[in-house]
Amino acid sequence: MYQIDENKVTRKKKRNQKFVFFLFGAMGYFVVALLVLILTFIIYKGASAISWDFITKMPEEGMTKGGIFPAIIGTLCLVAGSMLFAFPIGVLAAIYMNEYVKDGFIKKFIKQMTNNLAGIPSIVFGLFGMSLFVNKLGFGDSILAGSLTLGLLALPVVIRTTEEALKAVDNTFRQASIGLGASKWQTTRRVVLPIAFPNIITGLILSVGRVSGETAPILFTVAAYFLPKLPTSIFDQAMALPYHLYVISTSGTNIEESRPIAYGTALVLVIIVLFTNLLANGLRKYFSKKVKMN
Amino acid sequence: MFKLESKNVDVFYGSSQALKNVNIEIQNNTVTALIGPSGCGKSTYLRLFNRMNDLIDGIKIDGQVLIDGQDIYAKGVNVDILRKRVGMVFQKPNPFPKTIFENVAYGLRVNGVKDENFIRERVETSIKQVVLWDEVKDKMKRSAFELSGGQQQRLCIARAMAIEPSIILMDEPTSALDPISTSKIEELIHELKSKFTIVIVTHNMQQAARVSDKTAFFYLGELVEYGETKQIFTNPKQEKTQNYITGRFG
């Protein structure tokens, strides 16, 4: 037999619990505080630069005055282009992997390769994009080359989020459909995809947020240092927000004078990312409701 | 001729054997209960009849499984058509995220039925057969998720019946339901017997005794005993069966 001092044990338990909760809580709030700090900093520094002219005008006087309109348009073009490339390929590949390939070597291999693709530093994508799209395929520094490079970067994200969305669909839905004599494709199209759709959309939009802020992949494939006109075709160069920010902070004509514009640019970029995330949330909620009814 | 029959069936998942030399003959328009402790192979056995096991990677099936005297694992058997003849109801009610109407119409649509009048008729008949019509007739265009668990399960049975199978497989159909919904499903099984051959997996011994004509007791992949339900529950021939139904193990 052994004796237990119950009061002592209880006290100790309580003390440990309090300590651990405090630690976890502190970390949680630390993260929130960090985010709030960054946002406040950027808003504080950038808000004064933001005006209607700022987002609708060309840069002026060596990018120390004027707006960032071409960079906004450039970024929007690049995001749209990269998603046109990455969405279909990524979603189809994920469907193939999750619904069709049997467990085994090939599936593991494809999965490992997608994960590796996600781990490649973005500057390497940039270099690869330059060598393949810009030089070899002869697209030149262009929106097309930049979009494809960004698309490559987004591909593993799209594949993974789509796969997660498909995996989250309960297997008995598939079995019920198959059990009624439906083919695999009918099951995928009529049952699995509608259920997974809200989560797929969310993943896709989150990857938009990711792509819109990337600098390295567009560095050698599309981004123009200074180009005060809008692109007219996919073979034109374009300015882009993250690169513009980089340029006026490191190698502009007058770095000190263009500081406010840099913060303004950063703020616009952050707003775009926040907005896409909000949109992702909203769409997921909307489609989750809708999916029960079709 | 028997409606369902298995001859010397062995099933392997990779290197482990899930069923060992199972022989069962099932008459037309009867209810057969498959009982046994978890992992005994009863669900695997049930899923042989609509080849649902085919979806599992690395499964191997030996022996013969016959429906109406035809080997359903023979070469050249169209699995989609086979599955049309064999309906299935699952453990958890799993209506599709569609309207009540479209849930029941689904089987017809994927099998190429285009005639909307016919579909409407079949949907109505099926829902009436599961005694759900009065509860849902005014909300056919509403989501099936708005129904209660018991209603959802009856809808799933209607969904399986809409394509007019001759066999219905039920995999613990009431394990997620409350007692009242359970007794409704059991009543339903009684009524459906005249039209279908039903095989039901259940963990609930009383349920097996209440609904079935014949009972098969599985243990560790082997068919220990198969016979009239009355005999199994009152006078089992095997000691293992006796121990299981009296709750001494399992």
Side-chain angles (χ1 to χ4, degrees):
Chain A
M1 281 301 287
Y2 58 95
Q3 287 283 313
I4 296 176
D5 181 346
E6 282 192 7
N7 281 330
K8 202 175 152 195
V9 170
T10 312
R11 263 204 313 276
K12 200 177 167 200
K13 273 187 187 164
K14 269 194 177 156
R15 203 180 57 225
N16 284 350
Q17 164 139 322
K18 262 189 187 158
F19 174 71
V20 169
F21 272 26
F22 172 76
L23 196 67
F24 291 174
M27 291 305 140
Y29 286 113
F30 176 69
V31 172
V32 175
L34 210 57
L35 182 68
V36 171
L37 189 71
I38 295 174
L39 285 180
T40 331
F41 175 73
I42 291 177
I43 293 170
Y44 173 71
K45 290 278 198 177
S48 57
I50 301 265
S51 66
W52 184 246
D53 281 354
F54 184 67
I55 53 171
T56 55
K57 275 202 165 161
M58 299 291 164
E60 287 159 13
E61 294 178 34
M63 296 187 281
T64 58
K65 296 264 155 43
I68 54 165
F69 185 52
I72 295 177
I73 294 300
T75 286
L76 292 181
C77 288
L78 286 172
V79 167
S82 63
M83 289 304 134
L84 274 178
F85 171 66
F87 278 18
I89 296 181
V91 170
L92 294 185
I95 292 175
Y96 175 69
M97 256 160 57
N98 203 60
E99 305 295 319
Y100 286 85
V101 186
K102 291 200 169 186
D103 286 335
F105 175 73
I106 294 182
K107 192 168 184 172
K108 259 191 209 145
F109 183 72
I110 301 181
K111 226 179 209 161
Q112 192 56 50
M113 284 299 139
T114 344
N115 285 344
N116 289 346
L117 200 62
I120 295 176
S122 54
I123 188 78
V124 177
F125 276 101
L127 200 64
F128 175 77
M130 179 181 72
S131 139
L132 178 67
F133 303 125
V134 176
N135 296 332
K136 194 88 189 161
L137 296 178
F139 298 152
D141 275 352
S142 61
I143 291 180
L144 181 61
S147 298
L148 290 174
T149 312
L150 282 173
L152 283 182
L153 188 87
L155 207 48
V157 184
V158 174
I159 291 178
R160 209 183 292 165
T161 46
T162 308
E163 249 201 303
E164 291 305 318
L166 293 173
K167 258 191 220 149
V169 177
D170 197 311
N171 243 330
T172 65
F173 285 122
R174 294 186 180 86
Q175 291 175 358
S177 170
I178 296 277
L180 289 164
S183 68
K184 201 158 214 174
W185 169 236
Q186 285 174 321
T187 302
T188 306
R189 186 170 65 88
R190 292 170 182 248
V191 177
V192 178
L193 282 180
I195 298 175
F197 190 67
N199 287 333
I200 294 179
I201 285 288
T202 315
L204 297 184
I205 295 179
L206 290 180
S207 66
V208 166
R210 166 93 201 277
V211 160
S212 59
E214 279 293 342
T215 319
I218 57 175
L219 211 53
F220 335 116
T221 53
V222 51
Y225 175 80
F226 175 61
L227 189 68
K229 67 182 181 69
L230 297 182
T232 52
S233 88
I234 54 170
F235 293 106
D236 282 354
Q237 268 192 289
M239 296 179 81
L241 288 171
Y243 184 63
H244 186 62
L245 178 57
Y246 169 73
V247 163
I248 55 179
S249 316
T250 58
S251 53
T253 51
N254 188 338
I255 293 172
E256 275 314 309
E257 222 175 295
S258 42
R259 271 292 183 239
I261 294 191
Y263 284 118
T265 308
L267 183 55
V268 171
L269 197 53
V270 167
I271 289 172
I272 290 180
V273 173
L274 283 183
F275 180 73
T276 45
N277 286 3
L278 283 177
L279 187 71
N281 256 328
L283 279 181
R284 194 188 54 224
K285 279 189 189 136
Y286 172 73
F287 283 117
S288 306
K289 253 186 218 145
K290 205 176 164 213
V291 80
K292 293 175 192 165
M293 288 305 305
N294 61 357
Chain B
M1 191 171 56
F2 295 104
K3 185 72 191 170
L4 298 169
E5 206 175 343
S6 72
K7 287 182 182 168
N8 309 322
V9 166
D10 294 308
V11 174
F12 301 86
Y13 293 123
S15 58
S16 73
Q17 189 163 6
L19 287 175
K20 295 169 191 165
N21 195 28
V22 178
N23 291 282
I24 291 184
E25 291 154 346
I26 294 172
Q27 299 273 7
N28 203 5
N29 293 3
T30 58
V31 178
T32 305
L34 310 180
I35 61 170
S38 297
C40 68
K42 56 193 188 306
S43 268
T44 303
Y45 185 74
L46 183 80
R47 283 154 190 256
L48 283 175
F49 291 111
N50 62 348
R51 293 188 57 170
M52 202 49 103
N53 290 330
D54 291 15
L55 303 181
I56 299 165
D57 293 340
I59 195 165
K60 192 169 150 282
I61 297 155
D62 289 332
Q64 280 189 310
V65 182
L66 310 165
I67 294 180
D68 295 324
Q70 282 179 315
D71 185 353
I72 59 169
Y73 283 87
K75 269 209 175 106
V77 169
N78 184 330
V79 185
D80 292 346
I81 292 176
L82 162 75
R83 289 183 182 138
K84 240 179 82 179
R85 288 161 55 198
V86 187
M88 184 156 192
V89 179
F90 298 82
Q91 197 168 346
K92 239 177 61 197
N94 60 350
F96 299 132
K98 298 174 182 293
T99 60
I100 293 170
F101 182 89
E102 283 305 322
N103 258 283
V104 184
Y106 183 84
L108 298 165
R109 293 201 193 282
V110 295
N111 284 296
V113 180
K114 295 264 190 290
D115 183 347
E116 287 296 326
N117 284 329
F118 177 76
I119 292 178
R120 212 170 305 131
E121 253 169 55
R122 282 297 316 154
V123 169
E124 191 178 325
T125 318
S126 308
I127 294 181
K128 277 179 179 158
Q129 269 179 304
V130 298
V131 207
L132 191 62
W133 181 250
D134 290 336
E135 293 156 69
V136 302
K137 64 177 179 224
D138 299 322
K139 40 183 179 179
M140 298 295 280
K141 293 249 179 304
R142 306 282 287 274
S143 167
F145 290 172
E146 290 174 23
L147 299 176
S148 74
Q151 289 173 324
Q152 285 186 10
Q153 193 62 309
R154 275 181 283 154
L155 186 73
C156 289
I157 298 175
R159 179 177 69 184
M161 284 170 22
I163 48 173
E164 304 190 280
S166 57
I167 300 155
I168 296 183
L169 309 174
M170 298 184 168
D171 194 352
E172 299 181 44
T174 61
S175 64
L177 303 182
D178 62 86
I180 294 172
S181 305
T182 299
S183 73
K184 275 189 185 160
I185 302 271
E186 286 180 9
E187 273 169 42
L188 192 58
I189 292 173
H190 268 298
E191 280 165 37
L192 296 179
K193 202 167 78 171
S194 60
K195 284 213 168 92
F196 306 93
T197 305
I198 297 172
V199 185
I200 176 172
V201 166
T202 178
H203 268 128
N204 181 335
M205 230 71 67
Q206 286 85 359
Q207 181 168 71
R210 280 193 300 261
V211 301
S212 69
D213 305 301
K214 291 221 175 167
T215 297
F217 170 57
F218 285 81
Y219 185 63
L220 297 177
E222 280 178 72
L223 177 63
V224 176
E225 191 167 353
Y226 174 53
E228 298 289 331
T229 298
K230 220 180 207 167
Q231 173 254 314
I232 296 269
F233 280 95
T234 54
N235 188 21
K237 291 192 183 103
Q238 303 288 329
E239 203 189 327
K240 265 187 204 149
T241 316
Q242 171 83 35
N243 288 344
Y244 183 70
I245 58 174
T246 51
R248 242 167 275 168
F249 80 95

